[in-house]
Amino acid sequence: MEALCKLFYDMKVFTVRKRKFAIAILSLVLITSCKKDHLPDPPISGSYDLKLIANDLVSPLTVVSPDDGSERLFIVDQVGKVWIVDATGNMLSQPYIDVSNKIVALNQNYDERGLLSMAFHPNFKTTGKFYLFYTALPHPGGPNEITNWNNLTVIAEYTAPPAGNTANLSTERIIFEADHPQGNHNGGTIAFGPDGYLYISIGDGGGADDNAPGHVPDWYDVNAGGNGQDTKENLLGNILRIDVDGSSGSANYRIPGDNPFVDKAGLDEIYAFGFRNLYRFSFDMGGQHWLFAGDAGQLLYEEIDVVRKGGNYGWNVKEGRHCFNTDNSLEVRADCPDTDPDGNLLIDPVIEINNSRNPAGGSAITVVGGNVYRGPAIPSLDGKYIFGILSEGFSPATGKLLLTTPSNQAAWDYEPLALKSFPGNLGEYVKGFGNDAHGEVYTTTSGQIGPQGNTG
């Protein structure tokens, strides 16, 4: 059953139908730090549990909440609908907005496209503006004469009555579009930073090795890549930063003046680069408002990054902390550069997890970036970053929730959240996370790896 779940501080175990959901922090007893290549087994009796917030969805990917005093949660379902859980905890019977007719047809068994993210304008309470990230039908043509585009990344703005529970599609204003060559590696997160600008994650374009059609040559000829290291020809493999409160020329946005490539060689929208498939990222609501991102690896390593302006995060020169090898992606290349031609350090992740296909052993088919806990319910968790793995393997579903304490160290230890009702794993695919307006943490899960059924 896919579900939306919340951290809670209670000594109860909630059982709902056949499954139990949401994170519950019951104590601060944490297990010992894990090794870098395997997740340790959690204790038999966990310190945490799950509380169900909403279910009967298809494939919920994230949850967001406007800072408008309404106490509402907005759940993004991959099939094109956004659902509201109101202040009383009830999920409304009609979607807030339905863009299912705008997205590409999804493959039920597995798909990385669809409605992927939502963000509320910082002044939503007065403007009523919000934004969706979805993948639409592609433009005609493609990256070369024999290859068509697979889909179109769209960031769209909508305006709705701030206190209303439905939004009108007719208010759509396209803010940003980017052609996408393959069906995977769409990235998929949008979020407003503490500076009021909109941040967008877009994957390297899909395929493998970052050198398929639509993946331009870069400076690292050894690996014949790719969009991750390119900053001049397209916007794939990057985090972008734009100002939606204005326009410039034909674009329905402006470029922040301090973006790293303004007045330099490189595309002005780019904030950071060198990513493979940055599916989920989030800003810490407190502290120094760090940007935490989960970048999905290929076959060997998954990673969590702390993203800085202008940073180069290594793909496809590196995968995790290791040299990537396009000749054999199951073997680490013996050596590779530490910097790019402009002198930028290739920044290593703060957390590396072995992929389950790693010959050395591993326990994740992909990492899922999460959120920092800043809620009032559990002060002792303040500042902890909660993230997860989709599953240990493709089948059965064995998703896990993980916890780390951010620091200024180059490499962080992490540990499983020891769930009282799930001593091994969730028995679900972990698909996303979110904060509400108060900083409480939610997770979305599913019994299906693809967008089908109603196990959300």
Side-chain angles (χ1 to χ4, degrees):
M1 247 171 106
E2 234 169 82
L4 168 66
C5 318
K6 178 190 176 184
L7 283 161
F8 71 101
Y9 190 60
D10 200 302
M11 289 306 294
K12 298 176 182 177
V13 176
F14 288 76
T15 304
V16 183
R17 299 184 184 176
K18 294 182 179 179
R19 303 183 187 271
K20 300 169 276 289
F21 300 96
I23 326 176
I25 305 304
L26 304 182
S27 76
L28 266 191
V29 181
L30 300 178
I31 65 174
T32 56
S33 297
C34 69
K35 296 179 181 179
K36 300 299 185 294
D37 53 348
H38 299 285
L39 299 180
D41 292 330
I44 294 175
S45 179
S47 303
Y48 311 88
D49 222 326
L50 299 178
K51 179 180 179 180
L52 179 67
I53 302 299
N55 63 354
D56 293 327
L57 299 154
V58 181
S59 183
L61 301 184
T62 189
V63 56
V64 293
S65 182
D67 188 14
D68 63 353
S70 70
E71 307 295 326
R72 294 175 295 176
L73 300 173
F74 290 72
I75 307 168
V76 176
D77 201 329
Q78 184 180 1
V79 293
K81 298 179 181 181
V82 175
W83 298 92
I84 294 177
V85 175
D86 66 18
T88 67
N90 294 316
M91 190 168 81
L92 304 188
S93 59
Q94 298 297 317
Y96 180 66
I97 193 168
D98 183 351
V99 295
S100 55
N101 289 332
K102 292 180 173 292
I103 64 175
V104 293
L106 302 181
N107 300 312
Q108 291 189 341
N109 291 332
Y110 181 80
D111 212 313
E112 297 178 13
R113 303 168 301 172
L115 175 59
L116 302 181
S117 191
M118 180 183 193
F120 288 97
H121 192 281
N123 297 321
F124 172 77
K125 189 174 182 178
T126 55
T127 67
K129 291 181 179 180
F130 67 94
Y131 302 81
L132 298 180
F133 182 134
Y134 64 85
T135 57
L137 291 172
H139 283 141
N144 59 38
E145 293 80 5
I146 60 173
T147 305
N148 293 327
W149 299 114
N150 179 274
N151 65 83
L152 180 70
T153 293
V154 176
I155 311 299
E157 177 188 87
Y158 303 85
T159 304
N165 288 325
T166 57
N168 195 325
L169 278 175
S170 66
T171 67
E172 182 179 79
R173 186 172 77 108
I174 302 300
I175 299 295
F176 173 88
E177 292 181 344
D179 293 309
H180 205 84
Q182 285 84 43
N184 57 344
H185 301 187
N186 296 282
T189 300
I190 51 174
F192 282 92
D195 52 15
Y197 297 134
L198 186 66
Y199 291 69
I200 305 164
S201 67
I202 302 181
D204 68 6
D209 298 339
D210 196 10
N211 57 17
H215 299 243
V216 299
D218 68 11
W219 59 271
Y220 189 52
D221 294 335
V222 175
N223 275 353
N227 291 334
Q229 289 301 308
D230 166 67
T231 58
K232 299 178 178 66
E233 294 193 40
N234 64 50
L235 295 172
L236 301 176
N238 305 318
I239 291 182
L240 315 178
R241 182 173 73 155
I242 61 174
D243 180 359
V244 298
D245 292 326
S247 59
S248 178
S250 61
N252 286 330
Y253 60 86
R254 288 191 294 244
I255 301 294
D258 64 339
N259 272 11
F261 291 103
V262 170
D263 297 326
K264 298 178 182 177
L267 298 174
D268 290 349
E269 290 88 345
I270 296 173
Y271 179 80
F273 61 104
F275 299 106
R276 183 175 181 271
N277 184 25
L278 212 162
Y279 164 60
R280 298 289 89 170
F281 74 80
S282 67
F283 286 94
D284 184 356
M285 296 174 65
Q288 299 180 64
H289 304 294
W290 283 357
L291 194 168
F292 295 83
D295 194 13
Q298 185 152 311
L299 294 176
L300 296 181
Y301 302 103
E302 306 296 314
E303 66 182 68
I304 296 290
D305 297 298
V306 174
V307 179
R308 313 292 189 191
K309 182 173 69 176
N312 182 348
Y313 289 82
W315 177 255
N316 71 353
V317 181
K318 302 179 78 172
E319 181 186 21
R321 302 184 184 115
H322 302 265
C323 297
F324 183 67
N325 185 354
T326 54
D327 300 324
N328 183 347
S329 56
L330 284 172
E331 292 183 359
V332 172
R333 195 177 289 284
D335 58 76
C336 59
D338 294 322
T339 61
D340 67 21
D342 295 321
N344 298 305
L345 179 70
L346 303 185
I347 302 172
D348 283 343
V350 293
I351 289 176
E352 180 184 87
I353 301 173
N354 277 23
N355 189 286
S356 58
R357 291 162 290 186
N358 191 312
S363 49
I365 55 174
T366 193
V367 70
V368 181
N371 292 71
V372 175
Y373 184 89
R374 292 295 183 184
I378 317 162
S380 53
L381 264 188
D382 183 62
K384 307 288 185 181
Y385 179 66
I386 298 161
F387 64 109
I389 59 170
L390 175 68
S391 180
E392 294 176 301
F394 286 95
S395 182
T398 54
K400 289 186 176 182
L401 306 183
L402 308 173
L403 180 76
T404 189
T405 301
S407 71
N408 289 316
Q409 300 297 315
W412 301 351
D413 289 330
Y414 64 96
E415 49 212 336
L417 278 168
L419 299 172
K420 190 169 184 179
S421 301
F422 302 90
N425 59 73
L426 299 189
E428 302 288 321
Y429 298 98
V430 173
K431 293 197 170 181
F433 293 86
N435 287 119
D436 64 20
H438 303 290
E440 303 296 337
V441 170
Y442 298 76
T443 184
T444 56
T445 71
S446 173
Q448 300 286 336
I449 196 169
Q452 61 176 311
N454 65 338
T455 63

